[in-house]
Each structure stands twice: as C-alpha cells, then as structure tokens.
Amino acid sequence: FGAALLALALNEAAYMAEIVRGGIQSVDAGQTEAAHGLGMPQSLTMRRIVLPLLKPGLLAGWISTEGWKRWQG
C-alpha cells in the first residue's frame, strides 16, 4: 500500500510541476527583462513580477487537470 501511495504522490507532483513550469514560461520575457533592467535580482523578480502574473494561468491549468480527473471517474 505504501509503494502505491508513494507512486501516486509522485505522479501528482509531476503533473503539478508541469503546470507550474508552463505558467512560468507563459510570462512574457519582456516583463523579466524590464525587472532585470531596473536592477532587480532574480529572486525579487520571481516574487514581485512572475508569481503575481502566474496565478491566473496556474489556477486555470490546475482546475482543468483536476476537473478532467474528476470527470473521468
């Protein structure tokens, strides 16, 4: 039972990681370039520019994935 639970958890984590990766890549490169041009470090750029823009796309991807699983059975 433990191995099956671990396998399921790793599978779900991989799906969520792909959703997050896609959301980060969907943020326009000009946004991050502008932040770097202003002298922001990478961590501050992620926190103040990328993550707020990521929320709508991330939520939509997560809902569509979870909704599909629920609809399947």
Side-chain angles (χ1 to χ4, degrees), residues 16-63:
M16 194 63 194
E18 281 297 310
I19 292 170
V20 171
R21 182 194 58 80
I24 289 173
Q25 286 184 341
S26 72
V27 174
D28 188 26
Q31 300 286 333
T32 56
E33 288 175 11
H36 291 306
L38 292 172
M40 283 188 180
Q42 181 68 27
S43 60
L44 191 60
T45 300
M46 273 302 247
R47 193 174 13 173
R48 296 222 177 139
I49 306 295
V50 175
L51 292 180
L53 293 172
L54 175 72
K55 287 179 187 176
L58 181 68
L59 185 61
W62 183 74
I63 288 173

Side-chain angles (χ1 to χ4, degrees), residues 1-23:
F1 178 74
L5 187 62
L6 178 64
L8 183 62
L10 290 175
N11 191 17
E12 290 293 321
Y15 273 122
M16 194 63 194
E18 281 297 310
I19 292 170
V20 171
R21 182 194 58 80

